[in-house]
Amino acid sequence: MKRATFLISFLLICLGLFQCSCFINDIKAIKLTWHFDVYDEPTNKVYPIEGSNQVFFYKNLELYRQENVFIDENNKEHPDFDYYVYDRKKKTGRRYYRRNPEFGIKFNVDSFLNDYAFEKTNIYNKRGHLLIGRSKNMSEKKFTERYLQTSKKDYTYPDSLFFSFDDELKNIPISFSKELDSLRQSKVVKWVSIFNPMLDSKMNTIPKRKFTAEIKIVDDFKKEEILSYFNKFINTQK
């Protein structure tokens, strides 16, 4: 009897560990990076704006991890993170951070995606962009297209653009261009805009600039920690 009880308990523990492992393996992750050379006409200077964040996907949920800096009482800087968990089909999500790590606070999902996840980014204009070349690698699942800007009104318009696609990422909801993703039945994973030197309205020379943004798959991350935030969010929805 004791042996049977022990075996049942052991099997239940193994089953629990197996289910936990399956849940952890269900989590997918990408890294979103960007670098923008932004021109400021009043000062005639170019300011680089760059950053990176990781986005995790689990079932129908997403977790956007935003990196910050925490300054302690001794004026020392430490890396700090905010965790935004949400369902794209819902109006609100929850933000978990250092001061409120367990219950989080509500935020508007649409506003967040527009501000931080390139949701309203308009990098492609079929009337203003002319396709002039395409390259593919050996797998045929990855390719890059080059476009020219056919009408340039001022220095905010690029001269040429490069869009790199990867079929393997076409099912992730993050998108630089929903129109291009749909047209190519793929996913734009890298976007590069080239701005050649030109004069501004005050006849000052603007140097060559570049905008880049990229999506990459991430395999190495703390899966147990990320799963814990997803579970916190799921528990608040019950």
Side-chain angles (χ1 to χ4, degrees), residues 58-87:
Y58 177 62
K59 297 182 178 180
N60 61 323
L61 302 176
E62 297 175 35
L63 186 157
Y64 190 102
R65 190 178 77 166
Q66 185 180 60
E67 185 171 355
N68 303 305
V69 175
F70 166 64
I71 301 177
D72 64 20
E73 57 186 9
N74 297 317
N75 207 33
K76 290 185 177 181
E77 293 185 355
H78 306 273
D80 196 19
F81 298 95
D82 288 354
Y83 298 84
Y84 296 83
V85 186
Y86 53 90
D87 180 340

Side-chain angles (χ1 to χ4, degrees), residues 175-227:
S175 178
F176 292 140
S177 173
K178 293 180 179 179
E179 184 175 2
L180 275 178
D181 290 348
S182 177
L183 286 172
R184 302 295 180 255
Q185 290 296 294
S186 187
K187 176 69 66 176
V188 178
V189 295
K190 187 175 183 179
W191 146 50
V192 179
S193 294
I194 304 296
F195 302 78
N196 293 331
M198 66 174 296
L199 299 177
D200 65 13
S201 61
K202 298 178 182 179
M203 303 305 290
N204 293 316
T205 301
I206 307 172
K208 185 176 182 178
R209 296 170 293 131
K210 180 188 292 187
F211 284 8
T212 64
E214 186 171 8
I215 298 170
K216 287 185 176 181
I217 293 176
V218 175
D219 294 318
D220 185 18
F221 60 91
K222 296 179 180 179
K223 295 182 179 181
E224 293 85 358
E225 178 187 21
I226 298 303
L227 180 61

Side-chain angles (χ1 to χ4, degrees), residues 103-155:
F103 300 102
I105 58 174
K106 288 185 177 180
F107 67 90
N108 183 277
V109 174
D110 287 340
S111 297
F112 173 80
L113 292 176
N114 291 341
D115 292 340
Y116 296 102
F118 296 88
E119 189 69 11
K120 295 296 183 180
T121 302
N122 186 20
I123 64 172
Y124 172 71
N125 180 356
K126 62 181 178 181
R127 293 184 178 180
H129 295 158
L130 176 64
L131 177 63
I132 61 172
R134 175 185 292 180
S135 62
K136 284 196 174 186
N137 69 3
M138 296 299 291
S139 71
E140 297 294 313
K141 293 182 179 180
K142 298 180 181 181
F143 58 96
T144 299
E145 294 182 343
R146 182 184 179 188
Y147 292 79
L148 287 182
Q149 180 81 37
T150 56
S151 60
K152 182 168 180 172
K153 298 179 180 179
D154 55 43
Y155 64 82

